[in-house]
Amino acid sequence: MERIWGKIISLEEWGNVSEGSVHFDSRRYVDSMEKVYSRIKANPDRDSEISKCVDELLVYSDKISVLDIGGRWGDHFHSLSDDAQSRVAYSVLETPNNTFRGRQKHPISSPVEFIDDIENARKKYDLVFSSSCFPVYFFNWQSISKNIIDMNPKIILIDKCLMSSDVPSFLIEQLTPEGPIAHFVPNVADIVEVLKGYIVEMYKHTGKKLKQEEYWCPTPSEEGWGYRTLKLVKQ
């Protein structure tokens, strides 16, 4: 199996590790994502967590708005049902290059819009969603969290993200063909502390729901970290 994790790094070493743009803009990565996008579009996962949250919100509203942080080329939009796609205003926050590529994938008439700066996002969203990129590649995730709270979403969904439960937040090298990039692994408590005012549900990466008193159980990893999904519902 290809080794993808390097050493744990300190904040002082942060400046010596790539922020990821070299990897995410590489030809190798783009070619790989072309295959992933085609596969997702052809065989969408209608049972995904974001699809469930969108359906949950559409029970009470004719139309809703979604902000997908790090949503690449609008991949997750395709997991929504045809009915949901017609009732959702869908924004994807991405890097400038991925924003350009995403716009090429979606016609002007598409309900999917691409933005490369959170300051250009709408003032309000019903659902704010992110997968592994948040807060992993956003070292300023606490500042971005403030933007999210100001949007007053009914649901915040952080899906299949590496988080720690019984060790403090830390940085680790993610090994890529273009060199290591810094990967931030937050402690669940840090996220919950910042995103106050929400009822928290947490799931293992298998989708099995965990009880609140089990937040601090060690993850399957010996290092005390693993994949988690957090669903935060407005109180």
Side-chain angles (χ1 to χ4, degrees):
M1 179 180 293
E2 184 180 2
R3 183 165 170 260
I4 63 171
W5 301 115
K7 65 179 182 177
I8 292 177
I9 56 180
S10 65
L11 292 177
E12 289 72 25
E13 294 174 288
W14 171 263
N16 297 322
V17 181
S18 168
E19 81 287 358
S21 60
V22 174
H23 169 60
F24 294 119
D25 291 337
S26 69
R27 186 72 254 172
R28 182 198 306 261
Y29 178 81
V30 172
D31 289 345
S32 173
M33 290 306 100
E34 283 281 4
K35 295 176 183 177
V36 170
Y37 181 83
S38 297
R39 185 173 67 248
I40 290 174
K41 188 175 181 181
N43 298 287
D45 179 11
R46 302 293 195 201
D47 197 40
S48 66
E49 294 303 318
I50 184 174
S51 181
K52 293 176 185 176
C53 287
V54 166
D55 289 345
E56 179 181 332
L57 290 170
L58 286 173
V59 170
Y60 305 100
S61 303
D62 291 332
K63 287 188 73 72
I64 64 168
S65 54
V66 176
L67 175 62
D68 185 346
I69 300 176
R72 213 156 47 209
W73 305 340
D75 303 24
H76 297 106
F77 175 77
H78 296 295
S79 70
L80 308 184
S81 67
D82 293 340
D83 176 64
Q85 289 184 17
S86 68
R87 298 167 61 191
V88 168
Y90 200 96
S91 303
V92 177
L93 174 64
E94 258 295 352
T95 63
N97 282 337
N98 273 334
T99 294
F100 173 76
R101 297 183 186 107
R103 287 171 179 159
Q104 291 180 314
K105 299 291 183 185
H106 295 266
I108 296 177
S109 59
S110 170
V112 182
E113 68 168 355
F114 291 85
I115 53 179
D116 58 17
D117 190 330
I118 198 167
E119 298 299 329
N120 296 329
R122 297 166 184 255
K123 298 298 182 185
K124 187 179 185 307
Y125 287 93
D126 297 294
L127 169 63
V128 174
F129 167 76
S130 185
S131 53
S132 60
C133 79
F134 177 85
V136 175
Y137 299 113
F138 288 108
F139 189 59
N140 61 332
W141 70 272
Q142 291 180 319
S143 174
I144 291 175
S145 296
K146 176 62 168 60
N147 290 102
I148 292 173
I149 292 172
D150 289 344
M151 294 170 184
N152 197 31
K154 296 181 178 70
I155 297 176
I156 300 172
L157 179 66
I158 304 174
D159 191 31
K160 296 183 180 67
C161 180
L162 275 178
M163 304 180 200
S164 67
S165 57
D166 60 344
V167 295
S169 302
F170 63 93
L171 289 163
I172 192 170
E173 289 180 335
Q174 179 179 337
L175 306 179
T176 76
E178 293 73 36
I181 59 179
H183 192 108
F184 184 57
V185 182
N187 187 285
V188 172
D190 292 344
I191 297 178
V192 173
E193 175 65 22
V194 171
L195 298 173
K196 292 180 177 179
Y198 287 83
I199 300 171
V200 181
E201 300 176 15
M202 189 166 76
Y203 304 78
K204 289 183 180 179
H205 70 281
T206 57
K208 179 181 177 183
K209 186 175 178 180
L210 295 180
K211 296 179 181 177
Q212 183 167 350
E213 61 266 23
E214 292 182 300
Y215 278 179
W216 314 118
C217 290
T219 67
S221 165
E222 291 181 1
E223 295 84 359
W225 52 288
Y227 286 96
R228 290 287 182 270
T229 290
L230 280 182
K231 179 182 178 183
L232 301 101
V233 182
K234 192 72 176 178
Q235 291 182 347

